[in-house]
Amino acid sequence: MFDKTLAELAGGLAAGDFSSVELTRSYLDRIKNEDAAYNSFITVTEEQALSQARAADERRAAGQAGAFTGLPIAHKDIFCTKGVRTSCASRMLDNFIAPYDATLIGRFNDAGAVMLGKTNMDEFAMGSSNESSFYGPSRNPWDTERVPGGSSGGSAAAVAARLAPAATGTDTGGSIRQPAALCGITGLKPTYGRVSRYGMIAYASSLDQAGPMARTAEDCALMLGVMAGFDKMDSTSVDREVPDYRLTLNDSLEGLKIGLPKEYFAADLNPAIAEQVHNAVREFEKLGATVKEVSLPNSALSVPAYYIIAPAEASSNLSRFDGVRYGYRCEDARDLEDLYKRSRGEGFGDEVKRRIMVGTYALSAGYYDAYYRKAQQVRRLIQQDFAAVLADVDVIMGPTTPQPAFRLGEKTSDPVQMYMEDIYTLALNLAGLPGMSIPCGQSNGLPVGLQIIGDYFSEAKLLNVAHRFQQATDWHQQSPIEG
Amino acid sequence: MQWETVIGLEIHVQLSTRTKIFSGASTAFGAEPNTQACAVDLALPGTLPVLNAEAVRKAVAFGLAVDAEIGKRSVFERKNYFYPDLPKGYQTTQLAEPIVGPGHVDISLDDGSSRRVRIHHAHLEEDAGKSLHEDFHGMSGIDLNRAGTPLIEIVTEPDMRSAEEAVAFARKLHSIVTSIGICDGNMAEGSMRFDVNVSVRPAGSDTLGTRTETKNLNSFRFMEEAIELEVERQIEVIESGGEIVQETRLYNGDTKVARAMRSKEEANDYRYFPCPDLLPVIIDDSYIEAVRETLPMLPDQWKSLFIEQYGLSEYDASVLSSTPVQAAYYEEVAKRCGDGKLAANWVMGELAKYLNQNDTEIGASPVAAEQLGGLLERIKDDTISGNIAKKVFEVMWSEGGSADEIIEAKGLKQVTDTGAIEKIVDEVIANSDKQVEQYKAAPVEKRGKMLGFFMGQVMKATGGKANPGAVTGILKQKLDALCE
Amino acid sequence: MALERSDVEKIAHLARLQIREDEIPGYTGNLSNILALVDQLQAVDTDGVEPMSHPLDAVQRLRADEVTEPDQREALQAAAPAVENGLFLVPKVIE
């Protein structure tokens, strides 16, 4: 059962092969037995999951089941869930029971989905390895000495370890695609504005976007169909029709124009990854695609631009955590300033504090123009690079990460080294474009991810491209789990 | 040395919307603490702002009322600082691209002169909550009901030269924002709050002195007192060889004492940047024209109407146009009785007296404009005298009813029948030998003044109902006949 | 750009973060490295480039002025560290 995809499980529920309660209970049992090795869940919501499963079964019995009814999934612990701890993997919110549901959670609830629990992540989504979690790092199911990537590492590990058939993630600089690549699963970061951000705890508001993480493109299509759509509670949500992503999955790739940015295959790319990516591209040629080299000349600037813009927005977004209305509050504050400084100093971990300080510095008097304004200008240049290339090709392909999963602790002492992990993924968030990572090979037994980038609101095309690849290959079926 | 005072104002005007600027929570005043602070207002993790259409409309209406450029593209920014009444740790406001650009307001001063005060800009922003300092075992209590209430902050150029001018401007602004219905104008509830920037310089100098900012003045009187006190203080400091320190000050209207604020002594670094949760607000010409069409008569428009149509003096027209309710009231009275000056005298005289004595706003006057107009009509057509009208008015105020009803019920109709008046005059003369002798003995030019006694007697005898003009004529004729 | 200890202290104060004395050298080093990374931007010619605040060229949507949020004080204050009479308590605020 655990090797089944969401789509297959949906078929099983529809055919009456098993009930949602049975399905849910078996996943809950599996989490209970196996997750100690991966630490992929922060909170398991057993009681709520079973009650949702019972409701789903009743709904099905009443003939009112939809495509998602009764399917169990996991949610990144960045989404507010009413009555359930929503920690953002931070000591700051260790005791925070959200009093409301994020729009995305509401949409899954309305679709009849079952929430298994809340997955581990980097604290406030700041990290590329899951090591900044207050609850300890999640581990890569392919090698538990290695990181699952981040920040949606718990979601990626849970899906890869077959503890959940699918999970939600968020992606501010690669936080869906990079862990998907490192854990050998399929992840999609939609166009900025496609999925509501209401109730998703903000890291960098102009970059954050939620998306699906699952084993296949088809499952991502199913998930995105529930997640995507206009939300009047989010001013940056886009009021635009959501297509049925499943309908175009099998469209032919004959004549598909693929661009390979030469900057993504530069010297710092691990040769084994380069090889796997090129193999995948040859597979697309077999499916009828044509390939050309393209250039994104400013792509190297995405790292410095991102590490100004994201921390700047974060420094402001995280000011609300002040120990006054919710969240961690230090003991025996001497005065107001002491309350602020110690609550925040004790409540936030190192990486969060670092980014808050970088952002505070970049926005401070005398530095705004040199840092923040400059970064926003470079952001425009990066967007223009993509616009020029996407006028010419249908999708851009390249590696998701410069190397496969690295060892726990390998990069924690040097933040800059950690930041370079996202060199291929950051630019997309700066531009607001959609992108996917799909498994396309292995290197020394570790998965390698192929990144596919498309134009604004081209999610259906990306899913189609990924799905056809998955019909032709079996990298997405490789499992780290024996038996 | 002669000193010149330079004053600029920053005014926070709460917009009278039903809901907050970025959330659907109510803005009603006086609710139990934190019962009107929703998840967005409390800055719960994950919450996001959505802009209130009415706040935008009201800000644009203000811009049009002060003849300002409207920002067709305005951008919200975050002003970052930590304070317990600021739940997000930043205030969402506008800086580089405000919704209202440069405009102006003309004020009239008591000496009859007028002055133009330029508006630098006005921007939309959110109000903060309140810190309550009553003692909760050494703690302060935070009420966030007010947090997120829409404000426009109006910033003037330093164009005022005295407390009198600043107050005249403040009153004028109050009348504008209430006229166009964007603010309830309730100063006691903090609906309008003034920050005054004051500096002094040697008369004739054209460089500005160092200024101080006195914050959060919520009455015209406190504003006047605070400015006068601060000007005095600054002159004293400079004349005794000191220097003015740029600082934020607080004025306590109860104790009449001002002091520098303690909490914001460190130089603030607000780290403004465009708010990524909100997109640029774009306004086009058709929107602006639609707002313009909804604007009611403004004080200046009322004022010119009163001068041109009813021949009022500049001063009377200013007073009567100072609030939209008063202007509309006056206009109705004037229309009804057909005599603008009579109407002005009554609205500013008898009516104002009663309103003052009873601490009542003109909008809540028990005597409606139509009633008063009807009363004045009866003066005009000689049904009653001005004195009787005051009696009618008194009844009207306390018991209600139209002028005609009251005149009828109380039998106050003026006696104009010459025969009847002659009869009474004869009786009065017959019973006033001593006064008649004095009248006869007086030089001709002083006799006029002596008519008063006889007049009083006639009125007494008629219960005030005799037509004073007719009585005067008959008295004069009969007395003078006796002198021949 | 290399930061001094005093810079870190100033930033930490602006951000209201307590940094322990023994942590300051670590932060000073890390932040200096990060700033060295982002300083790459200084070499880029961005003359005349319009800064980009949002990925999408969209405009602000306006909400009707209708009350949609009823009183939920009890639920919303359930997570509060210190509340009395419906007020959030903080150490004394001095103006």
Side-chain angles (χ1 to χ4, degrees), chain B residues 39-52:
Chain B
V40 174
D41 305 325
L42 294 184
L44 249 55
T47 55
L48 295 170
V50 185
L51 183 58
N52 184 338

Side-chain angles (χ1 to χ4, degrees), chain A residues 35 39-44 77 85 87-90 94 117-121 133-136:
Chain A
D35 196 40
N39 194 27
S40 65
F41 280 85
I42 290 175
T43 304
V44 178
D77 204 17
R85 174 171 64 176
S87 74
C88 237
S90 180
D94 183 43
K118 310 284 298 280
T119 59
N120 204 349
M121 55 186 282
S133 170
F134 175 62
Y135 303 96

Side-chain angles (χ1 to χ4, degrees), chain A residues 316-329:
Chain A
S316 176
N317 284 334
L318 271 63
S319 291
R320 65 187 59 198
F321 302 103
D322 59 6
V324 175
R325 298 165 312 287
Y326 48 78
Y328 179 80
R329 181 179 202 150

Side-chain angles (χ1 to χ4, degrees), chain A residues 8-287:
Chain A
E8 288 162 354
L9 293 173
L13 286 169
D17 297 345
F18 43 81
S19 68
S20 176
V21 169
E22 288 167 328
L23 181 62
T24 300
R25 186 167 298 287
S26 63
Y27 272 107
L28 289 170
D29 288 346
R30 183 166 166 80
I31 294 167
K32 205 174 286 174
N33 296 331
E34 309 289 338
D35 196 40
Y38 314 114
N39 194 27
S40 65
F41 280 85
I42 290 175
T43 304
V44 178
T45 49
E46 179 166 352
E47 226 172 278
Q48 182 184 332
L50 288 170
S51 114
Q52 283 180 321
R54 276 190 293 274
D57 286 336
E58 284 164 21
R59 191 165 157 179
R60 187 172 299 282
Q64 289 159 354
F68 222 94
T69 305
L71 289 175
I73 55 168
H75 289 299
K76 185 175 181 178
D77 204 17
I78 198 169
F79 297 104
C80 284
T81 42
K82 191 172 180 171
V84 175
R85 174 171 64 176
T86 300
S87 74
C88 237
S90 180
R91 181 185 191 190
M92 182 62 82
L93 292 178
D94 183 43
N95 61 2
F96 180 65
I97 310 287
Y100 77 105
D101 274 329
T103 298
L104 174 147
I105 298 293
R107 294 178 75 102
F108 275 111
N109 288 343
D110 292 347
V114 173
M115 178 172 86
L116 294 168
K118 310 284 298 280
T119 59
N120 204 349
M121 55 186 282
D122 279 295
E123 183 182 8
F124 283 103
M126 297 181 192
S128 309
S129 68
N130 222 290
E131 291 165 292
S132 72
S133 170
F134 175 62
Y135 303 96
S138 180
R139 289 162 182 270
N140 195 317
W142 293 85
D143 177 351
T144 53
E145 292 308 305
R146 292 177 187 268
V147 302
S151 66
S152 311
S155 288
V159 173
R162 299 340 189 219
L163 302 179
T168 53
T170 63
D171 190 319
T172 304
S175 284
I176 287 175
R177 291 160 288 153
Q178 184 255 16
L182 268 43
C183 290
I185 66 164
T186 302
L188 167 64
K189 174 222 150 344
T191 305
Y192 183 82
R194 180 78 286 191
V195 176
S196 169
R197 294 187 297 115
Y198 193 80
M200 174 178 139
I201 299 176
Y203 158 24
S205 310
S206 78
L207 305 167
D208 294 343
Q209 186 60 204
M213 303 176 79
R215 299 237 305 286
T216 66
E218 184 185 15
D219 286 0
C220 284
L222 194 59
M223 291 273 284
L224 188 61
V226 178
M227 300 167 81
F230 175 66
D231 178 11
K232 61 179 169 40
M233 301 291 278
D234 174 2
S235 295
T236 61
S237 164
V238 176
D239 193 357
R240 183 182 169 118
E241 200 188 339
V242 179
D244 185 339
Y245 297 109
R246 292 171 301 177
L247 295 181
T248 46
L249 286 174
N250 284 304
D251 286 1
S252 163
L253 300 187
E254 198 63 52
L256 180 80
K257 285 184 271 183
I258 298 171
L260 300 182
K262 61 179 183 203
E263 293 81 5
Y264 284 21
F265 296 89
D268 43 359
L269 178 63
N270 177 316
I273 292 207
E275 190 190 332
Q276 299 302 327
V277 170
H278 283 301
N279 287 344
V281 170
R282 272 192 288 281
E283 197 61 45
F284 279 106
E285 287 179 307
K286 281 190 221 162
L287 292 168

Side-chain angles (χ1 to χ4, degrees), chain C residues 51-78:
Chain C
M52 176 175 158
S53 301
H54 288 99
L56 301 174
D57 196 17
V59 304
Q60 181 61 36
R61 211 172 43 247
L62 302 179
R63 172 179 63 78
D65 184 24
E66 283 155 15
V67 176
T68 53
E69 302 298 318
D71 171 25
Q72 291 195 60
R73 185 172 78 180
E74 202 175 325
L76 296 177
Q77 288 192 334

Side-chain angles (χ1 to χ4, degrees), chain B residues 5-61:
Chain B
T5 304
V6 177
I7 301 166
L9 299 179
E10 289 165 28
I11 308 99
H12 288 91
V13 175
Q14 281 187 346
L15 300 178
S16 52
T17 53
R18 282 194 282 267
T19 62
K20 307 276 175 89
I21 184 167
F22 298 123
S23 84
S26 169
T27 53
F29 182 84
E32 283 294 300
N34 291 308
T35 54
Q36 288 174 180
C38 70
V40 174
D41 305 325
L42 294 184
L44 249 55
T47 55
L48 295 170
V50 185
L51 183 58
N52 184 338
E54 190 57 17
V56 173
R57 199 195 66 77
K58 287 186 153 74
V60 170

